[in-house]
Amino acid sequence: MERKITDIALRCSNCGSEKGQMKKGFNRSGTQRCICKACGVTYTANPKQREYSEETRKLAIRMYYSGRSGRCVGRDLHMSKANVYNWIKQAR
């Protein structure tokens, strides 16, 4: 069961205060932005992870070394081909 923003006690990432937290729209990835009345800092309440899992990286590398191009691997896994090429360079 996923917890909603209203279920979580908002805490400022700067001063740690739980009182005076207000919602302030959403960022580009769709997560809730908040502002602290005490210190004035704007922060993301529950940020999304923006990296691929280790299993996905290993799968992309295996697919590349099995004879598929980086472009095909990227298209099949719905990611940029640059990610695939960067992971291959790191794996060497």
Side-chain angles (χ1 to χ4, degrees):
M1 183 170 137
E2 188 173 317
R3 291 171 29 162
K4 296 181 181 177
I5 192 74
T6 55
D7 298 338
I8 300 170
L10 298 176
R11 182 182 300 257
C12 178
S13 59
N14 186 43
C15 68
S17 173
E18 288 186 12
K19 293 186 179 183
Q21 306 303 311
M22 293 177 48
K23 294 180 181 179
K24 187 182 178 183
F26 296 91
N27 62 12
R28 285 189 292 170
S29 65
T31 54
Q32 180 74 53
R33 297 285 291 162
C34 299
I35 188 166
C36 178
K37 284 185 176 180
C39 64
V41 171
T42 303
Y43 62 95
T44 303
N46 191 12
K48 291 182 178 178
Q49 294 295 324
R50 297 197 69 154
E51 64 181 40
Y52 292 99
S53 66
E54 190 63 32
E55 296 90 29
T56 304
R57 292 178 187 210
K58 289 179 182 179
L59 175 63
I61 292 170
R62 271 198 318 254
M63 288 172 70
Y64 179 80
Y65 283 124
S66 70
R68 303 192 69 171
S69 69
R71 176 180 261 176
C72 288
V73 173
R75 184 176 56 229
D76 292 344
L77 297 179
H78 305 288
M79 65 177 65
S80 170
K81 65 182 178 185
N83 288 340
V84 177
Y85 290 127
N86 288 334
W87 295 337
I88 290 166
K89 287 179 188 177
Q90 290 175 357
R92 289 184 185 172

